[in-house]
Structures are given as structure tokens and as C-alpha cells.
Amino acid sequence: MHFQRVEGLSKVNQLVAFIAQAVDEGTLGPGSRLPSLREFCEQLSVSKYTVVDALERLRARGLVTSVPGRGYFISRDSVPGGPAAPAAQAAADLHTRLKRAFATNSTLLRPGCGFFPEAWLDTGLFRKALRHTLRTPRLRFMEYGHPLGYLPLRQTLQMKLADAGLQVPADNLILTSSTMNAVDLLLRVLVTPGDTVLLDDLCYFNFTANLRQHRANVVFVPRGHQGVTPAALEALLIAHRPKVFITSGLMHNPTGHSYALGEMVALITLLNRYGCHLIEDDLYHDLMEGAPPPMAALAGLANASYISGFSKLLSANMRVGYIAANPALTQAITQLKSLTGSVTCEFTEQALCQFFRDGSYYRHQRRLVSRLAESSARVTAWLQAAGCRFPVRHTGGLFLWAHLPAHVNAEALAEQALAEGIALAPGSLFGGGQHEMRFNIAHSDDPMVSERVTALLA
């Protein structure tokens, strides 16, 4: 293969284009073995880093596969003109391709995703908890779990919530398979087709998709970068008489904005006055150092429900969420879980309970909060140097909400980045503007991410 380099252009991009063109022209056929890394470096006069980077980008596109101990090969699915799978993906809209990139186990860099990198999570803790659970005599392989969930875990969560200021009996705590499952169960019980539901604008895109399935009338509450003003909320409550308001008081996804205590009280007072039920999504509470009480703790559970979970702090694949609700809602949701086969996995719940019993959870939580504080300073610095600014003051948590330089369109940037093996989260994913972007601090504290994104911004 003859590789002609062009000065002033990225060596990695040139190498990716060179190999992709060879596949497109049929010079490299499906199943062809590529030269070894050493041979690549010698033949093309490039560094090992450049070769590996290019091959990983090609693998992310589906053009190249690797076999441990044997090297890299052209994918057998590759055909002249481009492989079928990436072509189908290219036909999809940007948002669909980005969501797929966030959800799959990919070689992409993912500064736009919503969870921690595996390197930040202590997998040894999981193995220890799983081994302990397998040895326990209380493990019941042949029976269904309780519709409310594993009682010792509910009792542990009862104490955890009491420490945060929310008093709730263990029998009013319902374990779910995720926080979105918790939201869905609550909406099934509280909302009928045609009912109006208030939703933060900006918000996590799964909320709007879920509400469409319930055929609810969605009215967006302009949260902005300083939260919802009482006057704006009251105007919507009067005009639309909504049944439910779904919001996040602390560490709002995607902006990371949190309400002050007085602001929470003002919003709760209005919701109670107009009979609008609060569903509080508090998934990020444990990532905020010195967090105030949840909104539901101030409101009481008569007209509020509280949901949270562990997909962010522990594992996106440890599917445990929970609901704190009043007795009537608890009974209705428990019956719904039983009727729809939504009883949760007791084995996972027992393993999670072990995290709390041996103190692992709180040690892990403190490490994450401390590390996020250090990383946020570095990520803020390189984004500012690249011309970004931050309308929401960062008080902790996983996300930074950034305004891009005026000449940069967020979706166009995300398109360019995806072509280079980077999955970003443009503001339009959350209802934001064309110059806004959400950055995951943990994934963005990476020299490769800062170098590439800075180059794209320039």
C-alpha cells in the first residue's frame, strides 16, 4: 500500500481515509489481514499511536475488526461502496445515531454520554458483593421476589432517605428496575390520556418520549439557567390545570442546575395550591456535596412522589431504582407491578444491599464526589480556553452545560465529532439552542477528548 501524506492535515484522519478508500475501491477485500502495528509504522513512517488511533476509528465504523493475538482485519461485512451497517446508520438522523452511540458498548470517546466511565467505578466492589450474595442462605432462586422489593434493602433506603430529610415507612418504598421504570409506573397510575403534564424545558429526552407513549398533553415549563420562576409556573398552573409536574430539584439533567431551599418551598406551595402532583427525579442527589433536602421532603408525600436509583453512581447495568410514595399510590403501583410481571430481581437487590451494609457505597460515593470536583476544574479550564462559557454555575455533579463559541453550531460540531469517533451531546437533544452542549465531566477529563474537541471548535 502506498500512503502519500499531506502536510498540515491530521495524520490519523489521512490514514483513516486511506484505508477506507482502499476498502471502497476493492484493494482491500473483506477478511483481508492488515499489516502488524510494527509493519504499519515502518511502511508509512507514522507512530504507533497514530496507527492504533486510526484502526480504532475504523473499527468503530465497522470497517475493521480485531482478533486477539492475530491482529486487525477488514470486516467481512465490508463491501465496495461502504459497509451496510454504517450506511444504514448514516441514513438515520443525528439524534438517533448519537443515542445509539451512547447506549452501545463502543470504542467511541463519549464526552456526551450520561454515565461514568468504567475506569471510575470499582468493579472489585461488585464482584465482592455478588460473591457474598451467592453464599447467603437467604438467596431464593426458585421464588418470585416481593412486589415491593427486597425488604432489607427497602429498610436501608428508609434510613438513607431519613438522613436526607425525607421520612417514609419502608412499606411505602417500591423498588423498580430503573428510574425511568419508576417514572413510567407513576405515570400509569396518575395520568390518563389527554391529561396535562408539566415538564422542565430543558429536560432529559426520555421524559418526553415516555409521555408520548402515555398520550399526555405535555406543557413545557421554561426552566432556563436560573430555574422556574414562581410567576411563570403559576401562570401555567392556572392556564392548563396540569395533573403532574415532573422535575429535578437538584443536579438537573442536563444543566446541573439546583434550586435553593427557598425556591423549592415557593414551587411546592404553588403545586399544592393548584392540586398538581410533584414527581421528583432525584437521581443525582448523592453526587452533590452538602445537598439540601429533596423537594419531596419539604412537600410531604401526600401530593408528591420521589424517585431515585443507582445507575449513575454504581453501574448503568445495575437496574435498581425506587419510588417513595403515599400509601394509596404505593398500593396501586404494587398491584400494577404484579399484574404486568414487573416484579424486580431480588438477587440484584440483595447485592446492592451488601454495598450499604459493609460501607462500600458511602466510601465509593465520597471518592466520586471528590474526583468530580478535581476533574470539573480541569474540564472547565480547557473548555474555557477553547472559547466556551457556562451560564449555569457548577455546584457539583456529572455535567457541564456550555455555550459554544458563536461561530460553532452544536449539531454540526456533533456530526463532525461523530465522524472522528467522538459522541457529543448537542443542546437540541434536550430542547436546547443551536450553540449549547452538555459535557460529561468524567468522560471529558481525557487528553484525547480535550485535544480533539478543541481542534474541532477551532
Side-chain angles (χ1 to χ4, degrees), residues 268-297:
I268 290 163
T269 301
L270 285 172
L271 295 176
N272 287 338
R273 182 184 303 164
Y274 292 95
C276 181
H277 190 92
L278 168 70
I279 296 180
E280 181 179 16
D281 169 30
D282 200 24
L283 186 57
Y284 300 97
H285 185 279
D286 287 356
L287 290 176
M288 185 175 189
E289 192 168 12
M295 293 179 73

Side-chain angles (χ1 to χ4, degrees), residues 116-122 364-378 397 441-442 445:
F116 282 100
E118 187 171 336
W120 281 55
L121 305 175
D122 190 344
H364 176 65
Q365 175 202 12
R366 288 192 294 270
R367 283 195 298 268
L368 282 182
V369 171
S370 175
R371 189 170 178 182
L372 274 175
E374 295 172 1
S375 291
S376 66
R378 289 190 290 267
I441 291 169
D445 190 16

Side-chain angles (χ1 to χ4, degrees), residues 7 19 42 66 124 158 174 176 191 230-231 250 282 306 363 397 400:
E7 293 300 325
I19 296 175
E42 291 177 353
S66 63
Q158 178 187 16
I174 311 157
T176 64
V191 175
L250 303 176
D282 200 24
Y306 176 91
R363 290 194 296 271
L400 283 172

Side-chain angles (χ1 to χ4, degrees), residues 3-17:
F3 177 51
Q4 183 67 44
R5 281 179 22 211
V6 178
E7 293 300 325
L9 297 179
S10 163
K11 295 178 185 177
V12 174
N13 289 345
Q14 290 184 65
L15 185 53
V16 168

